[in-house]
Amino acid sequence: MNIRPQYYTRRDGDGSWSIVNTQTQKVAVIAETLPLRRLDESTAMEIIDA
């Protein structure tokens, strides 16, 4: 059985959004070559839904 970690969005103090792993509480790495440093809420939710 393949179990994927669950994620949630978190609004950071600077107004940006992060995608966080619910188990480790660490910010998820979305792309190795092009890190997403600032996300708006709708983009973060679209990534989680995908």
Side-chain angles (χ1 to χ4, degrees), residues 30-50:
I30 303 301
E32 293 289 322
T33 58
L34 180 62
L36 299 174
R37 297 196 184 272
R38 294 184 64 87
L39 295 173
D40 59 36
E41 183 179 16
S42 64
T43 302
M45 294 306 292
E46 287 176 22
I47 292 170
I48 289 176
D49 288 342

Side-chain angles (χ1 to χ4, degrees), residues 2-47:
N2 186 10
I3 299 174
R4 295 183 178 180
Q6 297 296 310
Y7 298 94
Y8 67 94
T9 57
R10 177 185 72 202
R11 187 168 184 118
D12 297 321
D14 65 356
S16 65
W17 290 85
S18 297
I19 297 174
V20 181
N21 183 310
T22 56
Q23 294 175 353
T24 65
Q25 301 302 308
K26 292 184 179 179
V27 174
V29 175
I30 303 301
E32 293 289 322
T33 58
L34 180 62
L36 299 174
R37 297 196 184 272
R38 294 184 64 87
L39 295 173
D40 59 36
E41 183 179 16
S42 64
T43 302
M45 294 306 292
E46 287 176 22
I47 292 170

